[in-house]
Amino acid sequence: MRVNRSKRLLRRARQLMPGGVSSPVRAFNSVGGTPRFIARASGSSIEDVDGNRYVDYVASWGAIIAGHAHPVIVEAVRRAAANGISFGAPTEAEIELAERIVACVPSIEMLRLVTSGTEAAMSALRLARAATGRDRILKFEGCYHGHADAVLAAAGSGVATLGIPGSAGVPAAAVADTLVVAFNDLAAVEAAFTARPDEIAAVVVEPIPANMGLAWPDVDFLSRLRELCDAFGSLLVFDEVISGFRVGLGGAQERFGVTPDLTCLGKVIGGGLPVGAYGGSARLMQRIAPVGDVYQAGTLAGNPLAVAAGLAALELITPPGVFDAFEASSLRIAKELEAAAREAGLPFQTRAAGALFGLAFSETPVRSFADAAAADHDRYGRFFHAMLDQGIYLAPSGYEAGFLTLAHGDGEIDQLLQAARRAFKKVA
Ligand SMILES: *Cc1c(COP(=O)(O)O)cnc(C)c1O
């Protein structure tokens, strides 16, 4: 596979941008090789500047759920742009996006639109601290909640890929109120509450962690978090920036029947343009300025193009049967990958939910960050390249998930599985 142009662009980009990229995992550091510079994409397929085409299972880290350059979304953005790109004033389309989200996500009665998942999580935690009058937050090792200082402790995916525990430049004071325990470790959560019964403002969690590969909550883990938060007067915050509108229209909270106090959204709800949102009960959300005393603002928040793209994307995944089809596809991928890996004699784990799947070269299911870290990441890197060489673009890190779009049909999945059978043999 010729990647001359990508190589040349990488040299140029590295002079101008750290690592040549705008976000670290894109640099291929954990898998090695040349990151592909993308020229265009359509449906399930992306094409690099050397003319190589790949079936894309990154989908802009989950933001693209309808498939690349979906004509309905492109048209919605085109139409919105023609009417003015940004106003810094309210629009009717924001109401429509908010109405759709409120109709789908059980915990959300009222929400605020922001421009990224990072902002959504940062703002939700500020609100939780204001509402409880407490400072401490409890998070789980390997769960990612964006790159705000307070949640950059033990933050999974991008951070884990770089092999550093947190980040330089985060003052000790910024994480002094952040407690970190292992995902699925209820005893540790109980101990944290017992030791500080009236100090924890919020427990923040990815209900289906997708930044340490794809992990899964034990039965009752999330409902027990709900009970503990209620018992100790803390708020439960679900970071559904990935799982929202991807494991079902109501996210993980609907799937598990556990309703958090606050929910963070991002990725899918922007249809590929920059959007985030956080929401909860009207009572809580009325604490946000200008109604309440919690300040949070954004010059481009609720941007008309992003809102139009998000609304179009949500409309495309709303018809009945869409998520049954997603789930059938992701389950098929998981089941057949597992069978093929077993045939090749490889230790292997998979998970699937809605339009999301995960894989790990591991003997044991991924229940925590320690499990994810213990997986064979060197083998993942070789598997990644064996797949890339066959035209399958997986995440360039073993700490990330796989993402489906409406454009990934049986043909694409057949191709994925066929390539995987060869790749497993190659890395065995
Ligand atoms: C991607 C992600 C974020 C951060 O969103 P950005 O838009 O990258 O700032 C937060 N939480 C989770 C669970 C994510 O996957």
Side-chain angles (χ1 to χ4, degrees), residues 23 61 115-121 143-147 157 206 208 210-211 239-243 264-267 275-276:
S23 194
W61 304 101
T115 41
S116 68
T118 293
E119 268 184 281
C143 283
Y144 182 61
H145 306 297
H147 65 87
S157 72
E206 280 183 81
I208 299 176
N211 287 285
D239 182 344
E240 299 227 45
V241 170
I242 283 188
S243 56
C264 307
L265 297 170
K267 299 193 170 112
V275 182

Side-chain angles (χ1 to χ4, degrees), residues 272-334:
L273 273 78
V275 182
Y278 63 103
S281 67
R283 186 186 58 79
L284 268 175
M285 290 306 292
Q286 304 269 18
R287 285 295 296 267
I288 301 295
V291 183
D293 55 354
V294 178
Y295 191 73
Q296 186 273 305
T299 302
L300 297 179
N303 173 264
L305 272 54
V307 167
L311 204 48
L314 296 192
E315 268 164 22
L316 288 164
I317 57 170
T318 295
V322 166
F323 276 92
D324 291 338
F326 273 143
E327 186 104 3
S329 294
S330 62
L331 285 174
R332 179 183 165 216
I333 290 171

Side-chain angles (χ1 to χ4, degrees), residues 17 34 150 157 161 231 249 253 339 354 403 405 425:
M17 295 176 277
T34 305
S157 72
T161 298
L249 287 175
Q253 55 196 269
F403 300 94
T405 76
K425 289 205 183 93

Side-chain angles (χ1 to χ4, degrees), residues 337-365:
L337 281 181
E338 212 164 296
R342 201 175 319 119
E343 204 168 299
L346 291 167
F348 192 74
Q349 303 291 328
T350 55
R351 270 291 179 188
L356 193 58
F357 65 94
L359 54 98
F361 290 100
S362 164
E363 301 277 1
T364 53

